[in-house]
Amino acid sequence: MARRLGDETLRLGTSGVEWAADRAFRLSAAVVLSAFAVLAAIGMLSATSGAAGLPVAGVIEAVFAQLPVLGVESSLSARQESILFQIRLPRLVLGMLVGGSLGMAGAAYQGVFRNALADPYLLGVSAGAGFGAVLAIGFGLDLGWGPFGAVPAAAFIGALLAVSASAAIARSSGSAPATLLLGGVAMAALFAAAQTYALQQLSETRAREVLSWLFGQLNTSGWGQVWILGPYVLVCGLFLMTHRRHLDVLRVGDDEARSLGLNPSRVRFGIIAASSLLTAAAVSVSGLIAFVGLVVPHIVRILVGHSYRVIVPLSALTGAAFLAFVDVGARTVVAPSELPIGVITSFVGAPFFVFVLWRGNATTT
Amino acid sequence: MTASTRLRAPTVALSCRGLKVAFRGREVLCGVDLELGAGEWLGLIGPNGAGKSTLLRSIAGLVAYDGTVALTDGRVPSARDLSLVPQTPLWPSGMTVAEYVLLGRTAHLSWLASESRSDRQVVASVLRRLSLEDFAERLVTNLSGGEAQRVVLARALAQQTRIILLDEPTSALDLGHQSAVLELVDELRRSDGLTVIAAMHDLSTAARFADRLVLINEGRLVADGEPDSVLDAGLLSSVYATQLTVRRLDSEIVVLPAPRTHRKHLDDQTGDRRTNDNSHDGNRQEST
């Protein structure tokens, strides 16, 4: 509130230049509130759709009843409550965390590579993370404590290997936007092959289990996966949020950024590490979900502009809403069976990728 | 507010000692020694590929070099000490002029901080100073050449450095805009006590604005001094490998290619020399 009052006085008391300078790179509260509103609406849609119908009012009451201070009574039956809290909500929250992670990581990759086609999946990061995770899951590496287990760690190592290799390929063979993607394609193919080889070494039941995870899915029971992903989202999300200012400086190119007093390599290293860790954690719990990191920042860019101060947080919110929405489709379109969510995002994402290429704005980051 | 944006009196001068730069084993600068007086306008001249840009870029810390670049207190200059106006700036799409100029505050922010109110006030006063008030909300991709040049200059001024490096700042502008931009730089230099180092293509323009000229050829400093002494027809002709004449018009020095024989005949035949001839004609007209 104080913030808004301050803006008003500034607007009334001074001329247009001050106002323009004050508005530069600012994220408007109205936009953030709308994004949260969309997210809440999709959350409600997700919580109420499915085989067992839950009433909207009942869901709201049941959620608020979790906070005893409010004194709200839930009107849902015990069975309905357990569907809501043990099945629907964990899956919804997990979908939002995964979608938010991928959206944010995509935005950050696009910023550091100054390439609007960058995406965790297209850069080979997901494949690298997937290979690491397959090794860890398939060979039953079950070490670690809480969320800091062998699977995310192995996925992170795979992700870093893949993104470093893609970036190195791009650097050594010219800086055209497509080169980075070609490097990513090469890495994705390499890691996919390694993955197939690793799968072959497993027993058939184990392999089937790993394979269904790999397609990208949010099948969970309870809150376990949410607790694994949550801490990574918190830490990496905070890192990317505090470093997004640097991405706007990088937009004038490395040389100018350096002459403005920014160290581009330092920024790049930190942001790539955080984005890759975020991707790896998301892949560890949900498998490979393609194109979210490409589609979401693009939509945000079209709707609210090109500054990364705006794109990074809004890609997180929009990614969360997008994946939660897609998951409603995955659960209901072929009910009572289910589609892997990664299949749907690819159905949406691949034509979108072609659309981006066709519009020719691959470098307009 | 003006107190925070106005620059303090210049005390900083810069010196380069034995500056060497090599790209892939080829020496681009072979040991340059250069002293820069505070408040001075130093013009770097020399043919294409002589090392003007490389010298500027190594002073700005953008290329690795051997030797030293130091301020009077011995520090290596940072983005708070000197700003660079690049030859061909990169224009990010969807960025407003105010946002672009705000990038100039980068060196004054700590790693995790964002711009404060005073940073934004610096931007507003710089925009006003360069008469860019009406452009503040415009996108940088929708500017004309002259406007764009003023916007890059505004970003450099928002950096609030005492030294400003210009890399052929006006090569893309027509004659009118060229001198308007350079006049502006000169005015800012005098009012704020800025020190200017500018790589300049056009020798007559260089003579008009610079207090001192440094002629570079093949990575070496060939001449250093007042425009009068550096712009010697014999020296220039050998460095540029073409016949040049130096004329004095009123108090200004003008460097011209030597008159060509069979001029009319050649004009009719060589269309690709047209632009060159036009500027030649322009200079001729000035002299009559």
Side-chain angles (χ1 to χ4, degrees), chain A residues 10-351:
Chain A
L10 194 76
R11 209 169 308 175
L12 294 174
T14 51
S15 71
V17 209
E18 267 82 14
W19 190 59
D22 195 65
R23 267 190 35 173
F25 292 132
R26 281 220 204 277
L27 175 57
S28 97
V31 170
V32 178
L33 285 180
S34 334
F36 270 113
V38 170
L39 190 61
I42 289 174
M44 186 51 73
L45 175 73
S46 170
T48 52
S49 43
L54 299 181
V56 173
V59 168
I60 296 174
E61 281 170 6
V63 169
F64 282 119
Q66 295 296 303
L67 302 166
V69 273
L70 295 176
V72 180
E73 289 279 321
S74 169
S75 63
L76 296 180
S77 69
R79 195 177 146 270
Q80 283 176 320
E81 281 218 3
S82 85
I83 288 175
L84 181 64
F85 288 109
Q86 297 313 314
I87 300 172
R88 299 256 172 98
L89 281 189
R91 179 160 177 160
L92 170 65
V93 172
L94 186 68
M96 285 180 170
L97 289 180
V98 169
S101 301
L102 295 175
M104 204 178 196
Y109 282 129
Q110 292 180 9
V112 286
F113 290 118
R114 298 204 295 118
N115 188 328
L117 295 176
D119 161 89
Y121 191 79
L122 295 173
L123 285 173
V125 182
S126 298
F131 174 62
V134 164
L135 284 187
I137 298 173
F139 294 101
L141 276 176
D142 202 10
L143 313 162
W145 171 81
F148 309 106
V151 176
F156 181 50
I157 294 168
L160 274 187
L161 278 178
V163 72
S164 323
S166 303
I169 291 169
R171 200 162 347 127
S172 66
S173 47
S175 54
T179 332
L180 180 67
L181 275 292
L182 292 177
V185 167
M187 281 307 114
L190 181 69
F191 279 110
Q195 213 170 64
T196 311
Y197 178 77
L199 279 172
Q200 270 204 326
Q201 309 303 308
L202 301 175
S203 71
E204 199 169 321
T205 43
R206 196 98 204 217
R208 191 182 302 268
E209 198 179 294
V210 173
L211 209 55
S212 83
W213 159 81
L214 208 56
F215 275 139
Q217 54 162 15
L218 296 170
N219 281 334
T220 55
S221 46
W223 294 89
Q225 308 283 64
V226 170
W227 295 130
I228 292 178
L229 183 53
Y232 290 97
V233 173
L234 198 70
V235 172
C236 299
L238 209 63
F239 183 92
L240 292 177
M241 282 297 283
T242 49
H243 285 71
R244 69 198 202 278
R245 175 172 73 80
H246 303 304
L247 290 176
D248 279 328
V249 185
L250 275 188
R251 294 183 64 208
V252 296
D254 279 18
D255 262 9
E256 285 185 59
R258 201 173 286 125
S259 81
L260 291 171
L262 188 80
N263 182 341
S265 331
R266 187 178 160 194
V267 170
R268 203 159 271 140
F269 179 81
I271 288 183
I272 288 176
S275 311
S276 303
L277 185 55
L278 201 53
T279 306
V283 167
S284 319
V285 299
S286 68
L288 305 190
I289 297 176
F291 291 114
V292 177
L294 174 81
V295 174
V296 166
H298 262 282
I299 293 173
V300 171
R301 215 172 261 132
I302 290 167
L303 293 178
V304 292
H306 289 65
S307 164
Y308 281 100
R309 309 239 197 144
V310 175
I311 293 176
V312 168
L314 283 182
S315 292
L317 292 176
T318 312
F322 176 75
L323 206 66
F325 184 71
V326 168
D327 187 46
V328 175
R331 288 194 289 122
T332 53
V333 169
V334 292
S337 161
E338 233 180 66
L339 280 173
I341 194 167
V343 170
I344 303 186
T345 60
S346 292
F347 266 125
V348 177

Side-chain angles (χ1 to χ4, degrees), chain B residues 257-278 280-281:
Chain B
R260 282 157 65 185
T261 48
H262 311 302
R263 193 178 148 69
K264 188 108 180 69
H265 170 73
L266 280 169
D267 264 2
D268 293 341
Q269 301 215 329
T270 53
D272 56 336
R273 297 294 294 267
R274 186 63 53 81
T275 46
N276 202 1
D277 284 335
N278 282 347
H280 192 135
D281 285 346

Side-chain angles (χ1 to χ4, degrees), chain B residues 152-273:
Chain B
V152 202
L153 196 57
R155 188 184 70 182
L157 288 182
Q159 231 171 309
Q160 292 186 311
T161 60
R162 290 173 192 176
I163 304 172
I164 180 164
L165 310 179
L166 307 169
D167 193 358
E168 292 182 13
T170 56
S171 51
L173 300 181
D174 63 50
L175 279 178
H177 284 104
Q178 239 180 58
S179 50
V181 167
L182 293 174
E183 291 287 357
L184 183 60
V185 173
D186 201 39
E187 194 188 304
L188 293 165
R189 171 176 76 110
R190 286 170 202 285
S191 59
D192 294 359
L194 295 177
T195 303
V196 176
I197 313 179
M200 298 171 91
H201 219 68
D202 186 87
L203 299 176
S204 311
T205 315
R208 230 173 91 205
F209 287 97
D211 305 318
R212 186 178 141 209
L213 289 181
V214 163
L215 177 62
I216 303 176
N217 191 31
E218 292 173 349
R220 275 172 226 284
L221 232 145
V222 180
D224 178 353
E226 291 190 359
D228 252 338
S229 64
V230 174
L231 296 180
D232 170 75
L235 179 64
L236 291 178
S237 297
S238 78
V239 166
Y240 283 83
T242 182
Q243 198 59 46
L244 297 171
T245 57
V246 179
R247 301 254 171 82
R248 241 152 278 260
L249 298 165
D250 303 326
S251 62
E252 304 215 346
I253 304 171
V254 178
V255 180
L256 298 169
R260 282 157 65 185
T261 48
H262 311 302
R263 193 178 148 69
K264 188 108 180 69
H265 170 73
L266 280 169
D267 264 2
D268 293 341
Q269 301 215 329
T270 53
D272 56 336
R273 297 294 294 267

Side-chain angles (χ1 to χ4, degrees), chain A residues 3 6-7 9-10 14-26 114 239 242-243 245-246 248-263 266-267 305-307 309 363-365, chain B residues 1 57 60-62 79 82-84 86 88-96 98-100 102-107 109-115 117 120-121 123-125 127-128 133 136-137 152 155 159:
Chain A
R3 167 78 258 159
D7 275 357
T9 48
L10 194 76
T14 51
S15 71
V17 209
E18 267 82 14
W19 190 59
D22 195 65
R23 267 190 35 173
F25 292 132
R26 281 220 204 277
R114 298 204 295 118
F239 183 92
T242 49
H243 285 71
R245 175 172 73 80
H246 303 304
D248 279 328
V249 185
L250 275 188
R251 294 183 64 208
V252 296
D254 279 18
D255 262 9
E256 285 185 59
R258 201 173 286 125
S259 81
L260 291 171
L262 188 80
N263 182 341
R266 187 178 160 194
V267 170
H306 289 65
S307 164
R309 309 239 197 144
T363 48
T364 57
T365 50
Chain B
M1 192 183 73
R57 288 165 53 78
L62 301 185
L82 51 82
S83 51
L84 175 72
T88 44
L90 223 65
W91 300 104
S93 57
M95 192 180 274
T96 68
E99 289 173 340
Y100 187 80
L102 193 56
L103 294 182
R105 299 303 297 163
T106 303
L109 302 173
S110 67
W111 189 251
L112 293 181
S114 54
E115 298 87 352
R117 174 148 294 192
R120 291 171 188 275
Q121 279 168 351
V123 170
S125 69
L127 287 175
R128 191 165 283 141
E133 292 100 326
E137 297 266 85
V152 202
R155 188 184 70 182
Q159 231 171 309

Side-chain angles (χ1 to χ4, degrees), chain B residues 55-71:
Chain B
L55 179 53
L56 280 186
R57 288 165 53 78
S58 45
I59 292 173
L62 301 185
V63 290
Y65 55 83
D66 286 331
T68 59
V69 175
L71 302 167

